[in-house]
Amino acid sequence: MTTQPLCTERSGPQTASVVTDLPFKPQLVKAVFRDVTSLHVSRSAAWAAASVTRTVLTEIIEGARSAAAEEVRKRLIPKDLISAIDRNIEVEVGSAWYLHSPTFHGLMGEVRNADGALVSLRERRGARTPSGVAGAHRFEAGVRRLLKSRGVRAVPAMVRDLDGIASVFLTALARDAAKVVREGGVKRFGTVSLVVPGEAAPAPPPLNDTLLALSTRRGDGRTVGGDDVLAAVTMQLFGDLRQRTITEAAEMTRNTSAN
């Protein structure tokens, strides 16, 4: 099976309808891309990235909702976010946000330098705030729309964390999509392996046809296309979430370009 090239030049009533359904608008997605690359970003790339971010955040919200339901709560709190990540390693994305959120401070553990001195959170964050963290406030409206679409509510601290995770994840996705364009394809894939101490790490599983098709790039070297975003997904995600995210983004982009 091979992926079909994503058409980018046609639009119509169905396009407007599908894009309206996206909680993270293509215009916002393009703004994030502009933060990290000077490459042109096609409409199909913006739609694909918006779809990918929606799928990932939806998976996190569903995991958090399950955790809240166990305590008979209808409103999500930060503790539910931690439970969702603990139970499903596939949704541990946007990790650069964790050093900036009070929700995760107690979970990060101590870090010491080569001299044994404790490294402060300020030092671990670095001198420059990553653009995904600095621009996280832009995602609040989209996060609230997504929560409403899933029929759940969340306390402000939970909204802030979802906001930050979405921003950091999309920023990393944009960087990787630009890297795919520059390097002409994918040089690495997101994987996770369980290793027994003292034993060699197992060989990674063979790539399926979909991932192989995305590993070699087509197109010019000046534009980020929809397939470049899907290729970036293979670097950022793994497991069932990666496959579902690619499938949904490709289908959504085909739908928007069909009319």
Side-chain angles (χ1 to χ4, degrees), residues 32 43 48 51 57 141 161:
V32 173
R43 286 180 294 173
S51 174
L57 264 290
D161 281 327

Side-chain angles (χ1 to χ4, degrees), residues 36-198:
V36 300
T37 181
S38 60
L39 295 171
H40 174 68
V41 180
S42 69
R43 286 180 294 173
S44 65
W47 291 330
S51 174
V52 167
T53 307
R54 175 183 61 185
T55 302
V56 170
L57 264 290
T58 298
E59 188 75 5
I60 294 174
I61 289 170
E62 288 302 310
R65 179 161 67 173
S66 295
E70 292 175 2
E71 298 184 5
V72 198
R73 280 187 287 102
K74 295 183 178 180
R75 181 170 293 186
L76 305 184
I77 61 177
K79 182 174 70 171
D80 301 324
L81 174 59
I82 293 174
S83 295
I85 294 174
D86 282 346
R87 296 176 185 185
N88 183 2
I89 193 173
E90 292 181 14
V91 301
E92 191 173 338
V93 298
S95 56
W97 173 253
Y98 300 165
L99 287 175
H100 296 265
S101 168
T103 299
F104 298 94
H105 285 181
L107 303 178
M108 300 302 290
E110 293 183 352
V111 174
R112 297 183 180 273
N113 60 24
D115 298 324
L118 188 66
V119 179
S120 69
L121 273 175
R122 183 180 294 275
E123 293 173 308
R124 290 160 65 184
R125 289 171 179 170
R128 178 180 178 275
T129 301
S131 59
V133 173
H137 63 280
R138 296 180 293 185
F139 288 76
E140 181 177 347
V143 166
R144 292 189 181 279
R145 282 195 295 269
L146 185 55
L147 287 166
K148 183 177 180 180
S149 73
R150 308 308 298 178
V152 294
R153 295 180 297 163
V155 300
M158 178 69 168
V159 173
R160 177 203 62 213
D161 281 327
L162 292 172
D163 190 358
I165 289 172
S167 182
V168 168
F169 170 74
L170 183 52
T171 299
L173 187 71
R175 286 197 183 104
D176 279 347
K179 183 182 296 185
V180 169
V181 175
R182 291 194 304 270
E183 298 181 354
V186 179
K187 306 300 182 184
R188 63 178 175 84
F189 293 85
T191 59
V192 170
S193 299
L194 298 177
V195 179
V196 177

Side-chain angles (χ1 to χ4, degrees), residues 4-18:
Q4 297 296 319
L6 297 176
C7 176
T8 64
E9 299 304 325
R10 301 177 63 187
S11 61
Q14 184 177 349
T15 298
S17 175
V18 174

Side-chain angles (χ1 to χ4, degrees), residues 6 48 51 230 245-255:
L6 297 176
S51 174
L230 300 187
T245 298
I246 290 174
T247 300
E248 291 181 4
E251 181 64 25
M252 189 278 296
T253 311
R254 280 196 294 270
N255 288 341

